[in-house]
Amino acid sequence: MSLAESPVHSSSSDDFTGFLERALGSGSSHSSPDEEADYESDDGSERSTKRRKVENLGSIDETQGSTSQIFVEENSEASPKKDICTHPGSVKDLCIVCGQRVDEKSGVPLGYIHKDFWLNNDEIDRVRSTDIKKSLHLKKLYLVLDLDHTLLNSTHLNHMTAEEEYLHSQTDSLQDVSDGSLFRVDVMHMMTKLRPFVRKFLKEASEMFEMYIYTMGERAYALEMAKLLDPRKEYFGDRVISRDDGTQKHQKGLDVVLGHESAALILDDTENAWTKHKDNLILMERYHFFRSSCHQFGFHCKSLSELKSDESEPEGALATVLEVLKRIHNMFFYESKDNLIDRDVRQVLKTLRKEILKGCKIVFSRVFPSKFQAENHQLWKMAEQLGATCSTELDLSVTHVVSTDAGTEKSRWAVKEKKFLVHPQWIEASNYMWLKQAEDKFPVNQTKT
């Protein structure tokens, strides 16, 4: 978006919100103009979709003039303000509404909307409050999507093995990426494989969610991947967030997403990236297509590419999670009895997750390190989140013993009492598949001594 499109002539909330909507707009916009007029604004009045036309000054090349000049010159033509500007946002330390210098910058950087763009905390709250009403009226929530190992897998060209060389002759054209899945992206010196089912996933998810990309990769990489996933900008528009846009190093946060936390879901393969938003997170099974990806995470096995295989489209991770998203969306909008504005998608997510292992009582055996506090282990917490009850003591109410060794005392008890004896991967698979998995697919072998 050019600076000329910013509302420098007026400090009205409508103009500023209009600027943000145009900056983030995409082909998957919420609705038609007639529909937009139906929902209520913060003051209860009908919100008009016809915003005052801002003079088009043309695109601004930073090499041809400074941002300061643009704002100062534009502001000099504006009529005197009756009210003191609250400086809701700034670009290069200049208020995007009145053009004055903002010495004490506070709030959140939103560089993915415009370079050096900041929005103050009060304005972020106001924008989110306005947008949540619009989104809920249109039966839409927010969905934040990770890239690597969630929607796709990339590798540097010089990291490809001899067994992966055949892929160079199977790449799809970058001229029309809409039907392709394997691309050689020379500008990034990479090869990228889109996860099976990703195009149908994005199409159907866009009908229920306003979607963002959020990656820990560099911005240039994020934009190249967005071109492959969304060449016509139908799904994400300019809502592409990279590590350069975050407010905490090595962390992702919803503070840079202009959607309310109570209506936002996250799909990511890395739980530790979202330490402040785990209640919004749906953890994805990692997609390892290339050998380098397997090696990165310590898997010493042949990759899908080396095996000349791939994840199943109808039964893979994206197809599975799409069904989960549909259930969450339906529960949020059609099954809850709370007032729409008071509903919280995090509670819906928690309720749905607790159904997966409901009725299971689990005892672990030789799964945790000795002297480790069992209830603090990730698997214990995961099992409880899935609705199971966990215990350290055996009794006849126990339904499952989870172990890595069939020879332990607890494992032998499970066999004797005809209880389920399963490998820890049974819990993880149930978590990823959002369905209790068949126990016989996760047998426990006796450890050789």
Side-chain angles (χ1 to χ4, degrees):
M1 161 161 284
S2 69
L3 296 180
E5 294 177 81
S6 61
V8 294
H9 292 293
S10 170
S11 61
S12 76
S13 294
D14 272 354
D15 286 333
F16 193 76
T17 302
F19 162 68
L20 292 176
E21 287 180 350
R22 290 191 298 275
L24 295 173
S26 70
S28 62
S29 59
H30 288 298
S31 64
S32 66
D34 289 339
E35 287 176 306
E36 288 185 356
D38 290 339
Y39 73 92
E40 298 294 312
S41 64
D42 287 338
D43 60 4
S45 61
E46 184 179 275
R47 178 175 176 174
S48 172
T49 61
K50 295 182 179 179
R51 303 189 183 282
R52 183 180 47 77
K53 189 175 181 181
V54 179
E55 180 183 2
N56 184 7
L57 301 179
S59 296
I60 301 206
D61 191 326
E62 292 185 1
T63 61
Q64 296 177 352
S66 70
T67 310
S68 303
Q69 280 183 302
I70 298 300
F71 280 123
V72 171
E73 289 173 6
E74 274 300 304
N75 194 52
S76 66
E77 296 178 9
S79 57
K81 306 291 187 298
K82 294 181 180 180
D83 300 319
I84 297 175
C85 181
T86 59
H87 307 315
S90 64
V91 175
K92 289 192 174 180
D93 298 326
L94 295 175
C95 176
I96 201 168
V97 174
C98 70
Q100 296 179 8
R101 181 168 294 281
V102 180
D103 294 324
E104 294 185 10
K105 186 160 49 180
S106 63
V108 176
L110 299 171
Y112 66 95
I113 295 178
H114 193 288
K115 186 178 180 182
D116 299 316
F117 177 46
W118 282 67
L119 205 59
N120 74 30
N121 292 324
D122 289 342
E123 187 62 17
I124 285 179
D125 289 343
R126 190 194 65 78
V127 170
R128 285 178 178 150
S129 182
T130 300
D131 197 63
I132 187 68
K133 294 174 183 177
K134 176 181 177 181
S135 296
L136 295 180
H137 171 76
L138 297 166
K139 302 284 190 294
K140 280 200 170 186
L141 300 170
Y142 305 96
L143 183 62
V144 181
L145 296 166
D146 174 51
L147 283 178
D148 293 287
H149 306 109
T150 297
L151 298 181
L152 50 81
N153 191 205
S154 294
T155 187
H156 285 281
L157 295 175
N158 59 1
H159 290 168
M160 296 180 69
T161 66
E163 292 178 271
E164 293 177 317
E165 284 300 312
Y166 75 95
L167 294 172
H168 288 286
S169 63
Q170 297 189 5
T171 55
D172 296 299
S173 171
L174 291 173
Q175 301 304 311
D176 181 12
V177 303
S178 58
D179 293 323
S181 64
L182 181 66
F183 303 97
R184 177 171 169 146
V185 188
D186 285 327
V187 68
M188 302 302 300
H189 307 289
M190 285 185 164
M191 187 170 288
T192 295
K193 174 67 173 63
L194 303 188
R195 195 167 200 164
F197 197 75
V198 69
R199 298 208 184 276
K200 186 172 183 181
F201 170 84
L202 293 176
K203 183 177 185 300
E204 294 196 25
S206 69
E207 297 170 2
M208 302 179 288
F209 298 90
E210 174 120 315
M211 299 191 298
Y212 287 73
I213 285 174
Y214 198 151
T215 176
M216 292 300 281
E218 295 180 351
R219 180 150 189 80
Y221 173 74
L223 293 175
E224 288 299 322
M225 297 302 103
K227 290 178 187 177
L228 300 181
L229 292 165
D230 186 19
R232 300 182 183 88
K233 288 193 170 186
E234 296 174 284
Y235 307 133
F236 302 108
D238 292 320
R239 299 183 296 276
V240 180
I241 306 172
S242 68
R243 70 184 182 199
D244 308 318
D245 305 309
T247 56
Q248 279 188 289
K249 196 172 183 180
H250 307 308
Q251 281 290 302
K252 297 179 179 180
L254 293 176
D255 54 344
V256 294
V257 173
L258 292 177
H260 204 284
E261 286 184 30
S262 65
L265 292 173
I266 302 162
L267 295 190
D268 203 314
D269 66 283
T270 306
E271 184 177 17
N272 291 337
W274 295 96
T275 54
K276 293 184 178 179
H277 306 287
K278 289 185 178 181
D279 290 341
N280 301 79
L281 176 65
I282 296 176
L283 192 63
M284 292 291 293
E285 184 177 8
R286 290 192 174 106
Y287 180 50
H288 298 295
F289 183 76
F290 295 107
R291 178 70 181 87
S292 62
S293 179
C294 294
H295 181 74
Q296 177 188 351
F297 289 91
F299 297 117
H300 303 291
C301 58
K302 286 187 177 293
S303 65
L304 290 170
S305 58
E306 291 173 317
L307 294 170
K308 297 186 178 180
S309 181
D310 208 348
E311 196 174 88
S312 166
E313 280 225 12
E315 298 177 359
L318 289 178
T320 298
V321 82
L322 178 62
E323 293 306 309
V324 174
L325 293 175
K326 288 178 179 178
R327 288 164 64 191
I328 293 172
H329 184 271
N330 186 70
M331 288 175 67
F332 185 94
F333 284 106
Y334 302 107
E335 296 183 18
S336 176
K337 295 180 181 179
D338 297 332
N339 290 330
L340 192 58
I341 197 66
D342 296 326
R343 296 175 195 176
D344 194 323
V345 74
R346 292 168 293 195
Q347 189 58 48
V348 175
L349 184 60
K350 186 180 295 185
T351 300
L352 190 59
R353 184 178 273 131
K354 279 189 172 294
E355 292 294 317
I356 298 171
L357 295 184
K358 184 179 179 180
C360 297
K361 185 173 181 179
I362 297 173
V363 167
F364 293 89
S365 178
R366 202 166 291 179
V367 174
F368 313 136
S370 58
K371 298 182 180 180
F372 189 90
Q373 199 73 23
E375 56 267 28
N376 292 332
H377 194 275
Q378 181 184 2
L379 273 176
W380 182 293
K381 292 180 178 178
M382 183 182 290
E384 289 188 329
Q385 289 171 354
L386 297 178
T389 301
C390 297
S391 175
T392 57
E393 302 296 330
L394 291 172
D395 61 53
L396 291 178
S397 67
V398 171
T399 60
H400 294 73
V401 171
V402 176
S403 180
T404 56
D405 183 359
T408 68
E409 182 179 348
K410 291 177 179 176
S411 296
R412 292 196 302 270
W413 176 90
V415 174
K416 178 184 176 183
E417 297 296 332
K418 294 183 170 48
K419 306 293 184 179
F420 290 112
L421 176 62
V422 292
H423 193 274
Q425 290 176 346
W426 173 74
I427 297 176
E428 295 173 336
S430 298
N431 182 55
Y432 286 128
M433 299 305 293
W434 285 78
L435 182 70
K436 187 174 82 166
Q437 298 298 289
E439 287 86 354
D440 58 3
K441 293 183 179 180
F442 299 87
V444 182
N445 298 318
Q446 186 161 346
T447 303
K448 296 179 181 179
T449 57

